[in-house]
Amino acid sequence: MFYRVIFFLKLILFLWLCFSTTTSIHAGNAHPVRPDYSNEKFWIALPARHDIGDSIPPGCEIKEDEANANADVFYIHPTVYLAGGPWNGDLDDKSLNRKCDACVLFQATPFNACCKVYAPRYRQAILRAFTDSCAAGDAALDTAYSDVKKAFEYYLANYNHGRPIIVAGHSQGSYHAKRLLKEFFEGKPLLKQLVAAYAIGCPIPVNYFSDIPVGDSAAQTGCFITWNTVAYGTQMTGALARYTGDACVNPLTWRTDTTTAKKELHDGAVPFDFKSIDRHLVQACIRGNLLWITSSDKKHFRKYYHLGKIYHVSDVNFFYMDIRANAIVRVNAYRKKNGN
């Protein structure tokens, strides 16, 4: 139950983003048509075409370079389907699709300097799948994962060609990424192709995987990285106690220790208008398996969405440039280690 409460608290934050209009889904369509990933309309981003996955914020000195990228990123977007219909989102809903596109802009584009970006559409589970403890909610999550799995299988068969892989996601996307890593990478030959998994904004126990450790250095490969961002001083009481024992990596140092990383280490945050980079905005430290952040620059800090002391919706935006630089480090380390 704690798990569902945590996801409710976190996913509801997407009301603060660009999701101000109510999505209209046909109420009688309990299981919208399953996507066919040979059809490009079921991909938000593909490297062979010009799309939102090619974007970078103004002033970004690390340029987009998908054409020459040496690795791939398979990105899974978070929940943006909040209310208004059946358990799974309809992939023909234009309003819902625009919200998914925005997630790619904020969360997948940090990887486009060193990776070809693959971002599928999928029949995401509605918010209440995380808040209602019932068989229908679990089935909705299974339906969503079945699409993610099918997209990943299509990607492997048609696009990957043995290239190094980054798996990335946020919130519901990370929930599915965990399952994808278990099914396709853990104890499997494909693990040799894993650069790293950035499964952000989702509780993941430290020992969740048998052979995919928590990342504890900037250049480590074959690992997973995660954090859940809260205001400095937030204690793990009530629902937040769910994070006890879960993994947390500090994206300013890429380590798991409790050292406070000063704002001088912060490469930069990107606000939701995607029009600027706020460098040296926050300092961060790990306390109680949560990422505590604070800033003395209240003017720019206010641009980032939060609900009280929980900064879930800004988990990636706060560390956009840090992720961008780190992905390059890990891809280069992987290539040096594996000779490709």
Side-chain angles (χ1 to χ4, degrees), residues 40 46-51 66 117-118:
E40 288 192 6
L46 287 171
R49 71 186 188 206
H50 181 69
D51 54 38
E66 284 190 80
V117 179
Y118 296 89

Side-chain angles (χ1 to χ4, degrees), residues 247-263:
C248 187
V249 175
N250 188 330
L252 300 190
T253 63
W254 303 104
R255 300 191 66 86
T256 59
D257 61 38
T258 58
T259 302
T260 298
K262 300 299 184 182
K263 66 179 183 179

Side-chain angles (χ1 to χ4, degrees), residues 10-11 13-14 170-171 201 228-229 310-316:
K10 298 193 322 178
L11 294 173
L13 292 169
F14 281 92
H170 182 248
S171 199
N228 293 276
T229 315
I310 300 175
Y311 296 127
H312 173 71
V313 74
S314 300
D315 276 331
V316 176

